[in-house]
Amino acid sequence: MTVTRVAESRTEFKLKSLPEDAISSVKFAPKSNQFLLVSSWDCSVRLYDVSANIERHKYNHELPVLDVCFRDAVHSYSGGLDQTLKMYDLNATTETVLGDHKGAIRCVEFAAEVNAVLTGSWDGTVKMWDSRVPNCVGTYNQGNERVYTMSIVGEKFVVGTSGRKIFVWDVRNMGHVNQRRESSLKYQTRCIRVFPNKQGYVLSSIEGRVAVEYLDSNPEVQKKKYAFKCHRIKESGVEKIYPVNAISFHSVYNTFATGGSDGYVNIWDGFNKKRLCQFHRYNTAVSSLCFSHDGSALAIACSQLDETEAEDPKPDDTIYIRYVTDQETKPK
Amino acid sequence: MGRKKKKASKPWCWYCNREFDDEKILIQHQKAKHFKCHICHKKLYTGPGLSIHCMQVHKEAIDKVPNSLPNRSNIEIEIYGMEGIPPEDIKEHERQKTGGGKASDSDDDEPAAKKKATSALLGPGPSTVTSGILPTPMGPVPPGMYPGPMAMNPMMPHFMQQRMMMPGMRPLFPAASVSVSTPSKPTFPAYSNATISAPPTTSTSSELRENGDVKPPAANTCPLVTATGAGSKIIHPPEDVSLEEIKARNAKFRPKPKPDAPSTPVSAPPMIAPSTSQAEINFQVAAHMSAAVAAARQQAMRRPMPMGMMGMLGQVRVPVPVSMPVPVLPVMPQFNLMRPIQPGMLLPGGMMPMGAMFPGGVPGLPMMQPRYR
């Protein structure tokens, strides 16, 4: 209920040896709070040991990397503007090119359910890859729209594209699209994340707005969907509306964090329609968020993404690790 | 008088005329919307309480209740839920309820009240609490919630209107919209027919194109990103393209020329894959160019070239101005060629090429097509 404004404190720290350009994605390891993968526009993918606050590994793509994900503790997948999907073995420090798209790879997700990697690209397709060898299992057209965001939980796989389209797939049966929807928000889709309980997904747009939607097409269930405004700042009579760039779910409580270009991170209880808390304002836009597997830590990537005219000097690209409390993340 | 079981006995908020099912919710609403301190976000219990808090804690005077209707902004009146409302206003409210007759169904008047509240909010008043503390259900929100232009952007390229059914155009085809299954309540009434368009039987195989249909960015640009209305500004470039795509246009993110490739634009650039689809992509990029030119002349012109273009002209060292006539030329043949093979483009909502499913065009719509030629 109450809005807490938390000042910078011991519960939060900045990672060292950060990327030299904007951070596109941060991902915690599947079963530990210790490791964090970071992809960046400086063409690198880095693995951080968060507890020791050191960079453990780094490998490069030819061009900026837009997304990265873990398969397990020691394998990562990454893709970006060079249109190439790479697998990296963090133990052996070897990289394998799994294949490529005809456009930049925007999203990379690992589907544990079928032990496959999914990549979404600006070429308008999603591809599924064998997780171990360079073998593209299938190519799935997403209405010829550029893929902007993807999320997978269990078998539920939701793709958000340009033109405000949403495609709901079942990774166990990629033969056909389960649902084809249009975003309920008026503006460009920025991020989609599926609820850990798989009931629905949360969708954000560039116009400071977030929608909570349900996958069950039963009208009774559909009635529960709603949207709300957020990440807006009123300054001298003008309301500035910021893109909501990032969403991350707390896997235990089904609450979620949103990060916007306003530099704020909010935590919401989607089922009870409550904001649980707002952190202090970060130095620049929040470009990516990731809760650790148990929800005890939140990685917050701050990078300006040319939302407006470039600021001079460009704000630093930073990553904060914040240890969150139940008070901040648990429904009241 | 004496009869109490009238519908009008629902609790309502004096400040914004909104009705609630429960007084508890009303009190929550008042605390969040009207009694919240805009400086520290503390929720007070009454208008005078808020005023005293601001005075004592922040040394600021508050003269109006935030988010209230113009004639209901008095901060001196002590109102808590339904308590303290001036009797004449209660009577007035009841009279409006009963006098309004059929409009008294709960769902109907809530949006109306909200609309008023919003317009009041846009006014010069010291309204501060707008970030979603109390997210409202989307269902009944009227278009008035979006004070901006709802219509399609007039700058939208012409050919797009021809090629695909834009959501805003759907009502032109009443017959078509009936056939669209809309399992959920529309979010935006203006989009009502566009919410979900899922013919679940579509076979994906017909849509798969192994040769990778790179859709050039502007070709499916919806309305450009415009402000939602006076007094608000979306912090986003005007083009409806993702921030990443815009950033990717930066010259420094172009693929580096490979040493073995001679620096002529004719050779296959390293980034675009097989040369078979080269021509096709070339065409599409060209199509995109015309779209960009028609759609967003000013903005598009100033920006560097989009990704696809970069790839195409990978070896060109100097960025080619967008107005360069060369790529624009092949546009017309491209579209004449393309349109017949993508009748699905006209399918309401789907926007999927469904040529394989309906080789003769879209059932129920065949005579509509010529209109769009």
Side-chain angles (χ1 to χ4, degrees), chain B residues 31-69:
Chain B
K31 283 174 73 178
K33 272 281 186 213
H34 306 302
F35 302 150
K36 196 170 89 166
C37 169
H38 67 285
I39 300 158
C40 69
H41 298 247
K42 185 181 165 79
K43 289 167 181 162
L44 285 303
Y45 286 86
T46 62
L50 174 63
S51 149
I52 290 164
H53 161 90
C54 283
M55 187 58 84
Q56 293 186 334
V57 180
H58 308 295
K59 318 271 180 276
E60 263 194 43
I62 285 205
D63 54 347
K64 286 193 180 88
V65 172
N67 304 314
S68 56
L69 298 170

Side-chain angles (χ1 to χ4, degrees), chain A residues 88-256:
Chain A
Y88 192 79
D89 184 323
L90 298 162
N91 269 352
T93 64
T94 51
E95 62 179 62
T96 316
V97 172
L98 290 187
D100 53 16
H101 270 272
K102 304 228 160 56
I105 297 179
R106 175 69 190 87
C107 309
V108 182
E109 294 286 337
F110 180 66
E113 189 90 4
V114 289
N115 201 15
V117 191
L118 293 158
T119 51
S121 162
W122 291 341
D123 69 7
T125 64
V126 163
K127 286 187 179 184
M128 189 186 259
W129 308 83
D130 193 309
S131 63
R132 284 151 219 275
V133 287
N135 176 23
C136 179
V137 180
T139 304
Y140 312 96
N141 188 306
Q142 307 293 323
N144 288 333
E145 298 280 1
R146 288 154 286 136
V147 174
Y148 282 169
T149 178
M150 299 190 328
S151 175
I152 180 160
V153 174
E155 76 284 359
K156 299 270 190 273
F157 175 45
V158 181
V159 180
T161 68
S162 56
R164 299 170 43 256
K165 296 275 177 300
I166 293 163
F167 299 85
V168 182
W169 300 81
D170 182 330
V171 283
R172 296 167 307 184
N173 178 11
M174 293 293 283
H176 63 92
V177 195
N178 266 359
Q179 289 178 45
R180 201 169 289 156
R181 301 183 173 199
E182 185 157 83
S183 165
S184 52
L185 302 180
K186 248 184 81 182
Y187 290 85
Q188 188 195 113
T189 304
R190 196 78 186 110
C191 189
I192 292 178
R193 289 292 177 266
V194 176
F195 272 97
N197 64 14
K198 302 193 249 179
Q199 286 178 9
Y201 57 86
V202 173
L203 161 99
S204 68
S205 81
I206 56 161
E207 186 240 2
R209 206 177 284 264
V210 170
V212 175
E213 307 206 349
Y214 294 86
L215 290 169
D216 190 340
S217 53
N218 179 344
E220 275 306 305
V221 178
Q222 286 296 321
K223 258 187 211 163
K224 290 196 289 179
K225 75 172 186 176
Y226 65 94
F228 58 92
K229 293 191 258 186
C230 52
H231 296 285
R232 292 154 183 244
I233 295 175
K234 202 144 209 174
E235 265 167 22
S236 54
V238 178
E239 186 180 43
K240 289 186 172 174
I241 302 172
Y242 292 87
V244 182
N245 299 319
I247 305 170
S248 181
F249 267 100
H250 189 288
S251 55
V252 182
Y253 298 137
N254 279 297
T255 52
F256 58 93

Side-chain angles (χ1 to χ4, degrees), chain A residues 1 63-64 83 123 139 144-146 148 164 175-176 182 184 188 190 209 226-227 229 239 241 243 308, chain B residues 43 132 135 138 146 187-188 191 194-195 204 208 213 215 217 220 228 231-233 235 240 244-245 253 271:
Chain A
M1 280 283 291
L63 287 169
Q83 315 183 348
D123 69 7
T139 304
N144 288 333
E145 298 280 1
R146 288 154 286 136
Y148 282 169
R164 299 170 43 256
H176 63 92
E182 185 157 83
S184 52
Q188 188 195 113
R190 196 78 186 110
R209 206 177 284 264
Y226 65 94
K229 293 191 258 186
E239 186 180 43
I241 302 172
T308 49
Chain B
K43 289 167 181 162
M138 282 164 80
Y146 291 87
T187 314
F188 304 106
Y191 281 30
T195 315
T204 325
L208 289 184
D213 264 286
K215 239 191 177 183
N220 48 4
T228 43
S232 63
K233 182 171 176 272
I235 309 299
D240 189 17
E244 286 77 15
E245 285 164 285
F253 299 137
M271 281 213 23

Side-chain angles (χ1 to χ4, degrees), chain A residues 16-32:
Chain A
K16 287 175 192 152
S17 60
L18 290 156
E20 283 125 43
D21 202 339
I23 295 144
S24 50
S25 179
V26 289
K27 296 271 176 77
F28 265 109
K31 287 192 179 70
S32 101

Side-chain angles (χ1 to χ4, degrees), chain B residues 50-125:
Chain B
L50 174 63
S51 149
I52 290 164
H53 161 90
C54 283
M55 187 58 84
Q56 293 186 334
V57 180
H58 308 295
K59 318 271 180 276
E60 263 194 43
I62 285 205
D63 54 347
K64 286 193 180 88
V65 172
N67 304 314
S68 56
L69 298 170
N71 57 339
R72 297 274 173 85
S73 61
N74 191 336
I75 198 137
E76 303 293 319
I77 303 183
E78 192 150 348
I79 287 173
Y80 180 77
M82 291 291 289
E83 284 173 43
I85 298 179
E88 60 271 22
D89 285 337
I90 291 197
K91 268 185 209 150
E92 166 78 9
H93 184 83
E94 235 148 43
R95 214 192 57 228
Q96 273 182 0
K97 298 298 301 175
T98 48
K102 63 199 186 307
S104 66
D105 266 340
S106 58
D107 263 14
D108 273 357
D109 65 348
E110 181 175 297
K114 283 193 58 134
K115 199 192 272 186
K116 270 192 226 160
T118 317
S119 53
L121 213 147
L122 284 171

